[in-house]
């Protein structure tokens, strides 16, 4: 018997219409994915039904794309373990990052039945190269537990108000291209939009230097906003922001405190992650390249910057 969580009628309708899900065929689809995993000597992956199901949903039930994402996912965990291979959620540094609002899933999805909103605050104390393990672990919890994120995707809101240009050196070309590649090639949640708010002018100019390294398709999803949040409301109504930003979508302080319970619940899950990954010595065929050119020139779409 399959171990998967049932969807509400509304979410099931979206899964059928947008992800091409055929509920009666899920056992057959999962069986095909598990049979393929058995034939991959280099790949030791989770085979939990709920976990594998999201790789099918995240690729609109393209078996070949689901295979590719799984391979990339566990290759990243092995070859970039310092960013993607979290196994100890009780590490004191990990729990301290929990208190910094680095990545918080807000309780109310967009428009009631829509993408899960992830709110984050850029913290100079925990620059991206330090905080990325926490952020990717948070996303892994979503892909196994959050029906709205799994079916409708995610929307990000990132606040840059507590930083300055001197602390932006961690945004290197290598970091930008590798992290984008992870979310494009390996991660099975669909990102719908990213809103960066409260960006100082100097930092805006710095971020724009990376335009050419981001595929055009994904640049169209990025909106850079100034300090006037009324500009954001055209795309994201104010009520969907946390109460600290004039919204009605939970308190960041309380949500961060409460999320410690989630890490407690997932303690054994992340310990188990130590046994999964790839053995590149056993890989048959072309090796996966995690670095390298993503494509593709483009330009940010700008709302307004004060």
């Amino acid at each position: 018997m399959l171990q998967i969580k049932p969807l509400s009628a509304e979410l099931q309708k979206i899964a059928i219409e947008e992800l091409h899900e055929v509920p009666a065929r899920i056992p057959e689809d999962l069986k095909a994915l598990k049979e393929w995993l058995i034939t991959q000597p280099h790949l030791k992956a989770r085979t939990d039904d709920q976990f594998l199901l999201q790789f099918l949903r995240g690729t609109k039930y393209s078996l070949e794309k689901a295979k590719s994402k799984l391979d990339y996912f566990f290759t990243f965990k092995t070859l970039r373990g310092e960013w993607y291979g979290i196994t100890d959620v009780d590490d004191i540094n990990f729990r301290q990052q929990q208190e910094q609002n680095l990545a918080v899933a807000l309780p109310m999805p967009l428009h009631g039945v829509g993408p899960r909103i992830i709110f984050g605050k850029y913290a100079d104390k925990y620059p991206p190269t330090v905080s990325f393990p926490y952020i990717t672990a948070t996303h892994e919890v979503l892909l196994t537990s959050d029906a709205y994120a799994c079916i409708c995707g995610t929307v990000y809101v990132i606040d840059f108000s507590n930083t300055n240009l001197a602390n932006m050196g961690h945004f290197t070309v290598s970091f930008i291209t590798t992290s984008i590649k992870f979310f494009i090639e390996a991660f099975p949640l669909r990102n719908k939009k990213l809103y960066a708010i409260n960006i100082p002018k100097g930092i805006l100019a710095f971020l724009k230097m990376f335009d050419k390294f981001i595929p055009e398709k994904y640049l169209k999803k990025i909106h850079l906003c100034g300090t006037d949040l009324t500009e954001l409301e055209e795309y994201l109504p104010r009520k969907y922001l946390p109460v600290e930003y004039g919204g009605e979508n939970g308190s960041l302080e309380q949500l961060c405190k409460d999320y410690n319970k989630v890490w407690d619940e997932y303690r054994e899950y992340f310990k188990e992650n130590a046994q999964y990954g790839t053995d590149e010595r056993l890989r048959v065929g072309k090796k996966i390249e995690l670095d390298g050119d993503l494509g593709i020139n483009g330009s940010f779409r700008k709302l307004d910057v004060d």
Side-chain angles (χ1 to χ4, degrees), residues 103-118:
V104 183
L106 303 184
M108 183 166 50
L110 187 60
H111 305 310
V113 180
R116 177 64 68 193
I117 302 167
I118 313 298

Side-chain angles (χ1 to χ4, degrees), residues 25-37:
R25 205 179 64 202
I26 288 177
E28 178 185 342
D29 293 331
L30 285 173
K31 182 173 182 288
L33 199 51
K34 291 177 182 179
E35 288 176 346
W36 172 78
L37 285 171

Side-chain angles (χ1 to χ4, degrees), residues 73-82 276-280:
F73 184 85
F74 287 102
T75 301
F76 266 101
K77 279 187 173 292
T78 297
L79 300 185
R80 296 289 185 275
E82 70 277 16
Y276 302 118
T278 63
D279 185 339
E280 295 302 314

Side-chain angles (χ1 to χ4, degrees), residues 159-216:
D159 183 357
F160 280 85
S161 61
N162 292 329
T163 191
N164 57 66
L165 191 58
N167 292 299
M168 297 301 288
H170 295 272
F171 280 99
T172 63
V173 171
S174 176
F175 173 78
I176 293 289
T177 57
T178 302
S179 56
I180 290 174
K181 194 163 191 174
F182 173 75
F183 282 106
I184 292 176
E185 302 288 356
F187 205 71
L189 294 182
R190 299 179 299 152
N191 173 239
K192 297 301 186 71
K193 295 290 182 183
L194 186 152
Y195 302 102
I197 63 175
N198 295 327
I199 307 174
K201 286 183 178 180
I203 291 177
L204 172 65
F206 177 84
L207 292 176
K208 286 177 68 65
M209 293 170 56
F210 295 98
D211 287 9
K212 63 183 178 180
F213 300 107
I214 303 175
E216 180 70 27

Side-chain angles (χ1 to χ4, degrees), residues 67-274:
K67 293 175 183 177
S68 177
K69 275 193 182 290
L70 273 167
D71 201 352
Y72 264 99
F73 184 85
F74 287 102
T75 301
F76 266 101
K77 279 187 173 292
T78 297
L79 300 185
R80 296 289 185 275
E82 70 277 16
W83 286 354
Y84 308 99
I86 282 291
T87 58
D88 181 12
V89 298
D90 291 318
D91 177 82
I92 187 169
N93 186 57
F94 185 91
R95 291 293 179 126
Q96 285 175 344
Q97 290 184 52
Q98 167 64 37
E99 301 170 1
Q100 300 300 313
N101 304 322
L102 297 175
V104 183
L106 303 184
M108 183 166 50
L110 187 60
H111 305 310
V113 180
R116 177 64 68 193
I117 302 167
I118 313 298
F119 194 96
K121 296 181 73 172
Y122 184 93
D124 286 341
K125 184 178 180 181
Y126 297 106
T129 50
V130 175
S131 63
F132 215 60
Y134 174 84
I135 292 169
T136 56
T138 301
H139 281 72
E140 192 164 348
V141 170
L142 292 176
L143 76 85
T144 62
S145 66
D146 192 311
Y148 291 98
C150 290
I151 302 302
C152 303
T154 56
V155 168
Y156 298 95
V157 181
I158 303 175
D159 183 357
F160 280 85
S161 61
N162 292 329
T163 191
N164 57 66
L165 191 58
N167 292 299
M168 297 301 288
H170 295 272
F171 280 99
T172 63
V173 171
S174 176
F175 173 78
I176 293 289
T177 57
T178 302
S179 56
I180 290 174
K181 194 163 191 174
F182 173 75
F183 282 106
I184 292 176
E185 302 288 356
F187 205 71
L189 294 182
R190 299 179 299 152
N191 173 239
K192 297 301 186 71
K193 295 290 182 183
L194 186 152
Y195 302 102
I197 63 175
N198 295 327
I199 307 174
K201 286 183 178 180
I203 291 177
L204 172 65
F206 177 84
L207 292 176
K208 286 177 68 65
M209 293 170 56
F210 295 98
D211 287 9
K212 63 183 178 180
F213 300 107
I214 303 175
E216 180 70 27
K217 175 181 178 181
Y218 295 93
L219 278 171
K220 292 179 179 178
K221 298 181 179 183
I222 298 173
H223 298 265
L224 304 183
C225 308
T227 56
D228 183 0
L229 292 183
T230 59
E231 295 287 342
L232 180 63
E233 292 189 35
E234 178 183 352
Y235 304 92
L236 187 71
R238 180 71 64 98
K239 75 173 186 177
Y240 292 106
L241 294 178
V243 294
E244 290 88 344
Y245 291 76
E248 304 171 13
N249 209 356
S251 161
L252 292 176
E253 181 180 3
Q254 188 60 49
L255 289 170
C256 285
K257 288 180 180 178
D258 292 345
Y259 214 78
N260 279 304
K261 299 175 184 177
V262 175
W263 296 126
D264 292 343
E265 179 184 346
Y266 272 79
R267 178 179 292 114
E268 294 305 315
Y269 174 96
F270 281 98
K271 284 182 180 179
E272 292 169 3
N273 271 353

Side-chain angles (χ1 to χ4, degrees), residues 5-13 15 21 50 57 147-148 151:
K5 300 173 183 176
L7 298 175
S8 67
E10 289 176 302
L11 286 176
Q12 185 64 78
K13 184 174 184 291
E21 182 162 296
Q50 192 70 47
R57 285 172 169 167
Y148 291 98
I151 302 302

